Amino acid sequence: MKLLISIISVLILSFSPLTSKEANAEITNDTFVNAELTFDGYEGEYYFFTDADLQAVVLESSSEIPIDLENGNYEGSRVMVAYKAVDRSADSSSEGIIKSITLANDK
């Protein structure tokens, strides 16, 4: 009987959720991405880009960015973007927060 209780206890503990300390470590793990993207447009605090694989990348900025992308003058331009990747939430379609952005050198 003790053996059965021990086995059940081990199984229950092995499938228990993360502790709060482990969960916090997972949240604070920052992932930064550097990518060359094509700027597609700006709308409602979101910046829209296309990557080399023609996949949409939606980013937002928590501060002023050095290039005025909101006026539409740079649509279709290649830009180098460094951003902090974030998980998408139910109320946001953003994939990350822009940390730096510069015009790419066309070769």
Side-chain angles (χ1 to χ4, degrees):
M1 187 68 172
K2 289 181 183 180
L3 179 63
L4 183 60
I5 291 173
S6 297
I7 292 172
I8 292 173
S9 298
V10 168
L11 288 174
I12 290 173
L13 291 175
S14 65
F15 292 110
S16 67
L18 295 174
T19 63
S20 61
K21 183 178 180 182
E22 290 170 336
N24 288 338
E26 203 171 279
I27 291 170
T28 59
N29 185 10
D30 294 337
T31 302
F32 289 93
V33 178
N34 292 310
E36 185 173 347
L37 305 172
T38 302
F39 178 65
D40 295 327
Y42 171 83
E43 185 176 328
E45 299 182 19
Y46 292 106
Y47 297 89
F48 299 92
F49 301 91
T50 304
D51 66 10
D53 297 327
L54 301 178
Q55 297 296 314
V57 178
V58 180
L59 302 173
E60 57 186 315
S61 179
S62 59
S63 62
E64 185 81 19
I65 60 174
I67 304 170
D68 184 16
L69 297 178
E70 297 173 17
N71 65 16
N73 291 339
Y74 294 102
E75 288 181 5
S77 298
R78 302 288 294 167
V79 292
M80 292 299 299
V81 182
Y83 64 93
K84 177 183 172 188
V86 296
D87 292 330
R88 288 188 182 186
S89 63
D91 60 340
S92 174
S93 59
S94 175
E95 295 178 26
I97 300 171
I98 297 172
K99 295 300 176 188
S100 69
I101 186 167
T102 58
L103 289 174
N105 295 331
D106 291 329
K107 297 177 182 174

